[in-house]
Amino acid sequence: MAFRNTLDSILGKALIAIMGIMVLNVLWQVFTRFIVGTPSSFTDELSRYLMVWLGILGAAYVSGKNMHVAIDVLPQRFSERTQKRLRLFVFALVIAFAFAAMVVGGFRLVYITYVLEQRSPSLQIPLAAVYAVIPLSGMLIIYYKITDIIKIKS
């Protein structure tokens, strides 16, 4: 559990930093557009990529904290044993989705953009670096859900 707490801390701080950079970036965009009169060329693209990273890494963070949106009206009517089985089933579905869609699909996307040497139009950063957050987040979600399953089983 110490590793999970450390990972939560690092991920939380990274999300705060991404959000802070995004706020400063948008403020710069507003300043250059309305005060200077010539909008900065990179800020729109950077804020878009930061928003993607914030959303996808945020999903992993929320998954790790088990704070995601859930409808729990039906499970509350079940016995404790059935609730436990249902949680295990849901965690297994989340792991399957994270692996198939995020890890496998994300690695394929990163690989294709890396091989094709695609770069962002304004910043000229490799799009593989932008898309790398997808398999990373998938692996984090899988880790979190496996540790949740271990916690339930013990």
Side-chain angles (χ1 to χ4, degrees):
M1 280 313 204
F3 178 74
R4 183 172 172 151
N5 292 336
T6 304
L7 184 60
D8 285 343
S9 176
I10 291 169
L11 195 53
K13 289 174 184 170
L15 289 168
I16 291 169
I18 291 170
M19 184 67 177
I21 294 167
M22 194 168 70
V23 167
L24 292 174
N25 181 55
V26 171
L27 287 173
W28 179 252
Q29 170 68 5
V30 170
F31 175 77
T32 58
R33 176 172 289 170
F34 294 110
I35 307 298
V36 178
T38 55
S40 182
S41 62
F42 71 91
T43 52
D44 181 49
E45 189 174 291
L46 180 60
S47 63
R48 188 177 322 123
Y49 295 149
L50 289 173
M51 180 65 85
V52 168
W53 273 69
L54 185 70
I56 295 176
L57 278 179
Y61 181 76
V62 168
S63 176
K65 292 286 190 181
N66 285 316
M67 296 182 347
H68 49 278
V69 177
I71 300 172
D72 61 353
V73 174
L74 186 63
Q76 286 181 351
R77 296 175 188 226
F78 295 142
S79 68
E80 186 66 34
R81 185 175 180 202
T82 306
Q83 286 181 17
K84 191 175 182 181
R85 286 181 179 167
L86 185 60
R87 270 193 303 255
L88 289 172
F89 177 70
V90 169
F91 289 163
L93 286 178
V94 169
I95 289 170
F97 172 80
F99 180 74
M102 298 179 80
V103 175
V104 174
F107 271 126
R108 289 186 67 203
L109 179 62
V110 169
Y111 176 74
I112 289 168
T113 54
Y114 179 77
V115 168
L116 295 176
E117 297 178 2
Q118 292 181 338
R119 296 189 164 277
S120 65
S122 181
L123 295 171
Q124 288 299 306
I125 57 175
L127 286 179
V130 174
Y131 297 142
V133 72
I134 300 169
L136 172 65
S137 183
M139 289 185 289
L140 288 170
I141 290 171
I142 291 169
Y143 168 76
Y144 281 133
K145 292 304 139 192
I146 288 173
T147 57
D148 286 341
I149 289 172
I150 292 169
K151 192 186 314 180
I152 288 175
K153 293 265 187 179
S154 60

